[in-house]
Amino acid sequence: MRKDLGKKALLYPQPVLIIGTYNEDKTPNAMVAAWGCVNDFDKVTICIDKTHKTMDNIKANKCLTVSMATAANIKQLDYLGITSGHKVADKFAKSGLSAVKSKKVKAPIIKELPLTLECKVLSYDEETELLYTQVVGVSADESILNAKGKVDIKKLCPLCYDPEGHGYYALGEKIGNAFKDGKSIK
Amino acid sequence: MRKDLGKKALLYPQPVLIIGTYNEDKTPNAMVAAWGCVNDFDKVTICIDKTHKTMDNIKANKCLTVSMATAANIKQLDYLGITSGHKVADKFAKSGLSAVKSKKVKAPIIKELPLTLECKVLSYDEETELLYTQVVGVSADESILNAKGKVDIKKLCPLCYDPEGHGYYALGEKIGNAFKDGKSIK
């Protein structure tokens, strides 16, 4: 039996993305976003409310970093998620995380997060609040790479966000192969 | 030590979304997409290549369904992912899955998938291939709901897609609470 749950965008799983930018005084800022996805092999789209301090910074610098949240720093990352950069100007410093400047964009790379996309802004729609970005670099800690130098999803173990229960979840076991399992049906 | 992996949109986790539409002859069609996300509490954005049969159908009907892939039907879902609706007109029938018409949109609800968003098209950008949609209904099997009638992410167990290893992964254990864990830092 199926039920109607209304008009909610209940899409699963959602990522836990840490958006890194620089404030006017060149200190790092970061916020948490679940509303983002790939948009072409070298582009990423993120929906960011125009009232965030992060959007002020992105408009000023035309750059941002997008890092994947992982379990090790969940307390610090959640602090970034519940603290406004408008109200706490040094929220990033207070989080206890640390950053270095990206060599490719004017935005910070958070040292503790092992996978970071370095992005330049292509456009921002004030109405839909969709930020459309070009990936110009990927900074990955070698601890999450496999023998071929590619990201190993199990080593990365990215967090998943539950929009209804407001929980953070780990990645589970591999249960199938894309582009392979369906071949036997034909 | 961090390494530069180039200009790839390596965003994790990615969802496994099944996009349901109707062909001209009113038979169901479905494709698999990983490039989609929430865009406001009642909107969903998906990047769909304009050459897909699904896009022809969406342009004709202005409607689609977006269902979450789950482990039970992984073989059938992967078949939908590797088979073109242009080349195999009855790919949905061949997949072995079954569908009923949504009461809210001109698009099919796949019976075997327990969570489906019923969406109307707001816009499609031919250049960026971003499809921006309004969620007008959510059809959920009661087997995935908790006592309060909300989606229980562990009962749903949505698949996650690995863009580098091309694998499907299950959801793992809960490891934290959004909007709670970070409060103790301040």
Side-chain angles (χ1 to χ4, degrees), chain B residues 72-89:
Chain B
N73 303 99
I74 194 162
K75 193 170 168 176
Q76 290 89 343
L77 299 176
D78 195 49
Y79 172 75
L80 295 178
I82 58 182
T83 308
S84 165
H86 283 305
K87 293 179 182 168
V88 184

Side-chain angles (χ1 to χ4, degrees), chain A residues 20-172:
Chain A
T21 57
Y22 279 124
N23 296 315
E24 303 86 337
D25 64 1
K26 298 181 181 173
T27 56
N29 189 12
M31 66 169 275
V32 183
W35 296 357
C37 61
V38 176
N39 176 199
D40 211 343
F41 291 102
D42 61 352
K43 295 183 183 70
V44 163
T45 296
I46 306 166
C47 180
I48 303 181
D49 192 307
K50 61 174 83 69
T51 63
H52 281 298
K53 181 69 175 78
T54 289
M55 269 318 302
D56 294 345
N57 295 348
I58 288 173
K59 286 174 183 174
N61 297 321
K62 309 293 184 201
C63 292
L64 63 153
T65 56
V66 180
S67 299
M68 310 315 131
T70 54
N73 303 99
I74 193 164
K75 193 171 169 176
Q76 289 89 343
L77 299 176
D78 195 49
Y79 173 74
L80 295 178
I82 59 182
T83 308
S84 165
H86 284 305
K87 293 179 182 169
V88 184
D90 61 344
K91 68 181 262 197
F92 186 80
K94 279 204 169 72
S95 77
L97 296 167
S98 54
V100 292
K101 190 186 171 303
S102 157
K103 290 176 183 168
K104 301 200 170 183
V105 296
K106 193 176 170 185
I109 289 177
I110 301 173
K111 285 186 188 175
E112 290 83 355
L113 300 179
L115 181 61
T116 302
L117 310 181
E118 297 155 289
C119 304
K120 291 188 177 178
V121 174
L122 291 172
S123 67
Y124 180 66
D125 186 317
E126 294 278 341
E127 191 183 344
T128 63
E129 297 181 318
L130 274 179
L131 179 72
Y132 181 55
T133 78
Q134 174 76 50
V135 179
V136 297
V138 176
S139 168
D141 193 273
E142 58 187 355
S143 63
I144 62 163
L145 304 180
N146 64 20
K148 293 178 181 171
K150 290 191 170 190
V151 173
D152 181 323
I153 193 171
K154 290 298 284 182
K155 291 181 178 177
L156 171 65
C157 203
L159 292 185
C160 302
Y161 177 61
D162 170 16
E164 284 291 76
H166 306 300
Y168 297 123
Y169 287 78
L171 193 82

